[in-house]
Amino acid sequence: MTVTLMQLPGIARVPVDRMDRPYPRRWAALGVLCLSLLIVVMANTALIVAAPDMTRDLMLTSADLQWIIDGYTVPYAALMLLFGVIGDKYSRRGALLTGLLVFGAGAVFGSLADSTTTVVAARIVMGVGAAIIMPATLSLLVATFPAAERARAVAAWAATSGLAIALGPLLAGWLLDSRSWHSTFLINVPIAAAAAIGALALVPPSKAHGLGRIDWLGGLLSVVTIGTGVFAIIDGFHFGWGGRALVAGAVSVVGLALFVRWELRHPQPLLNVRRLGDRAVGGASLAVLLVFLAAFGAMFFLAQHLQFVLGFGALETGVRLLPLAAAVTVGAGVSARLASRVGLRVIVASGMLVAAAGVLALVRVDAASGYLDVLPTLVLLGLGVGLAVSPATDAIMSSFPESDLGAAGGLNDTAIELGGSLGIAILGSVLAATYKDGIAGFLAALPVPTLSGPQADLLAQGLQASGESVGGAAIVAQELATNPLGKSWSQPLMDAATSAFADAVVRAGLVGGLALAVGAVVVAVVMPPYRGR
């Protein structure tokens, strides 16, 4: 006798739309959805502290490391909208389970990788899994919770992102104290397995009814548009606006024009682009994008500052990022209570300004700054993210009908990932350019001996690595410290790199903070004085 999955004992079987009252285990189901979200965010934040060990082991160039990071980002951003709609059509819980399976398989693959190519391939698989998971978590949340409780549920969902930002480096740091960087991939496997079991037992089935045929051409255009756009942003800002980046950018622009035209004419579009003209949806999407631009960009260089400038180990770095997670949780809780009282426009714009103040506080950083000098940035940035993102996400999700929850979730999550990509690309580019200018004089003045053969190659590689990043300079300084001929230059190199990096943090903080502050004014003008339900 054949037993189907739905016939197994302990499986949540009754679809949400067939319940005559709110699902009694909805808060437990929310825990499963947050657990699923956790691994998606941790996949990037854990890599922050694993990168130095990975760089040494695989002898990565800066380009290699960038594409290990963005091998995850590009498919993740490109596929979310399409996968959100597919989940609506067939099964939101099924999409979540599929995403967890793909993500877990990619993580196992990554733990076995022994080359740059295989690590990038593993990250691509994980990015595909994340693109299936993310919109499913939001659409299941909105489908499961009654409107009166939805703001609190979304606040918990948003707070999980803040927790993951700190938990990823913390868990990765704990593992790296005694194991190789391969183990950081395996963090996600038991969590994904627990989330899959919990989804079957606690998350009720859900799908849209009367959705009709999927707009596959619109889906293809969305994948091409977002994928090439994110690729162009990453490649252009990090490696220069050469032919590859410009072609990708042009394809994205043409793809966007075709996508909008097709969606406006299609009787059942993948995404109702007219909704972006709604002030609540358009303003909220812009707010989410800008907040994560500043947050991901700031995290990119703060983690480097803690590790390479202040000298904290991987575990110590994770511990010192915990105030950010706590602040996001507090901000999300406050926003859930205040949004209905002061209005969407006030709470979102205020959160953006608080986050902007946190990023702008980095202007105080110099070569002598310690952890207490960056702590205000962590706290204010976390509070701002919690205050702004929860009500903005709730506004996006509540503006779409039940049949389009996957598309709404895909839109929100695409704004998150596009903002994060822009933040790391733009602010990272400002950081790198300022650092290179700052250390160039010191490197040019070094009394470099005349060498030949392998020694000349090693020297050239060391100078190049020192000039590209503070992480590269830290590694070279460590090597010099063990070499009797180069020992005297170890500390001067690190001092020069620290000073150049501090100046770069100030410049990048100014750009990110001002962009977010100006964005807050724009969002305040665009958004309606929405006062909740």
Side-chain angles (χ1 to χ4, degrees):
M1 181 173 125
T2 302
V3 178
T4 66
L5 185 64
M6 290 297 290
Q7 292 174 320
L8 291 173
I11 303 297
R13 297 181 180 84
V14 181
V16 172
D17 57 330
R18 295 184 189 173
M19 298 179 185
D20 55 6
R21 62 190 179 94
Y23 177 53
R25 294 193 290 178
R26 58 193 178 278
W27 293 103
L30 176 63
V32 174
L33 301 179
C34 289
L35 198 62
S36 304
L37 171 66
L38 193 70
I39 59 172
V40 170
V41 181
M42 284 202 315
N44 264 344
T45 58
L47 189 64
I48 291 173
V49 296
D53 285 359
M54 193 180 293
T55 300
R56 293 187 187 97
D57 189 26
L58 298 177
M59 300 183 66
L60 301 176
T61 66
S62 59
D64 291 336
L65 183 59
Q66 191 61 49
W67 285 115
I68 285 174
I69 295 171
D70 295 316
Y72 182 82
T73 300
V74 173
Y76 178 26
L79 295 168
M80 276 191 288
L81 184 58
L82 177 58
F83 280 143
V85 174
I86 292 173
D88 275 347
K89 170 70 175 177
Y90 297 106
S91 171
R92 291 164 181 150
R93 186 175 69 173
L96 178 62
L97 291 169
T98 302
L100 290 169
L101 178 63
V102 173
F103 191 95
V108 172
F109 180 28
S111 73
L112 302 173
D114 59 0
S115 69
T116 303
T117 302
T118 50
V119 173
V120 172
R123 293 276 295 169
I124 290 172
V125 174
M126 292 172 70
V128 173
I132 305 172
I133 293 169
M134 273 290 274
T137 61
L138 266 179
S139 58
L140 282 165
L141 184 156
V142 174
T144 303
F145 277 83
E149 297 176 344
R150 205 168 288 157
R152 282 191 293 152
V154 171
W157 182 91
T160 302
S161 297
L163 176 63
I165 288 173
L167 193 59
L170 186 64
L171 291 176
W174 172 65
L175 287 171
L176 289 168
D177 270 358
S178 58
R179 295 173 177 83
S180 75
W181 57 265
H182 298 85
S183 64
T184 61
F185 279 89
L186 292 176
I187 294 172
N188 304 291
V189 177
I191 301 176
I197 294 169
L200 287 170
L202 297 170
V203 179
S206 171
K207 69 176 183 177
H209 294 283
L211 191 60
R213 296 180 62 186
I214 291 176
D215 174 17
W216 291 108
L217 180 57
L220 176 63
L221 289 171
S222 74
V223 171
V224 171
T225 299
I226 300 170
T228 54
V230 172
F231 179 91
I233 290 167
I234 294 166
D235 197 70
F237 278 104
H238 285 288
F239 308 119
W241 291 95
R244 187 171 60 182
L246 291 175
V247 169
V251 171
S252 182
V253 170
V254 173
L256 178 61
L258 292 174
F259 175 75
V260 171
R261 183 176 180 182
W262 175 259
E263 296 300 282
L264 287 173
R265 299 172 61 184
H266 199 279
Q268 192 157 2
L270 187 83
L271 173 68
N272 186 349
V273 293
R274 290 184 176 88
R275 290 193 179 277
L276 292 173
D278 181 278
R279 292 171 61 191
V281 175
S285 299
L286 178 61
V288 169
L289 186 148
L290 290 173
V291 166
F292 278 93
L293 183 153
F296 276 62
M299 280 295 299
F300 177 71
F301 48 78
L302 281 176
Q304 294 182 65
H305 184 81
L306 292 174
Q307 286 185 277
F308 298 121
V309 176
L310 300 184
F312 294 120
L315 179 59
E316 294 171 314
T317 297
V319 170
R320 282 163 178 79
L321 291 174
L322 285 175
L324 175 69
V328 172
T329 302
V330 171
V334 170
S335 73
R337 291 176 173 83
L338 290 183
S340 61
R341 300 178 186 176
V342 303
L344 180 70
R345 177 167 58 194
V346 171
I347 195 71
V348 172
S350 297
M352 294 175 71
L353 289 174
V354 171
V359 180
L360 288 171
L362 290 171
V363 298
R364 301 166 54 249
V365 171
D366 58 30
S369 295
Y371 174 67
L372 292 180
D373 294 297
V374 300
L375 183 59
T377 291
L378 294 173
V379 173
L380 290 173
L381 180 60
L383 282 172
V385 170
L387 285 169
V389 172
S390 299
T393 296
D394 188 37
I396 293 170
M397 297 303 295
S398 62
S399 298
F400 283 74
E402 194 274 341
S403 60
D404 286 338
L405 291 181
L411 173 63
N412 181 83
D413 299 335
T414 300
I416 290 175
E417 195 57 26
L418 184 58
S421 299
L422 283 167
I424 293 174
I426 296 173
L427 300 188
S429 179
V430 172
L431 186 84
T434 308
Y435 172 82
K436 288 177 181 178
D437 290 344
I439 200 172
F442 172 84
L443 294 177
L446 280 174
V448 179
T450 302
L451 301 172
S452 61
Q455 287 185 320
D457 293 338
L458 285 173
L459 179 61
Q461 290 172 10
L463 291 174
Q464 181 182 2
S466 299
E468 284 185 349
S469 69
V470 68
I475 293 172
V476 172
Q478 289 174 4
E479 293 295 327
L480 288 173
T482 63
N483 187 327
L485 296 176
K487 187 174 182 179
S488 62
W489 288 104
S490 175
Q491 192 56 48
L493 172 61
M494 202 60 231
D495 290 343
T498 298
S499 178
F501 189 75
D503 292 341
V505 167
V506 170
R507 181 76 60 85
L510 276 172
V511 173
L514 290 174
L516 190 54
V518 172
V521 175
V522 174
V523 167
V525 172
V526 171
M527 276 190 163
Y530 169 74
R531 291 188 172 273
R533 300 174 179 83

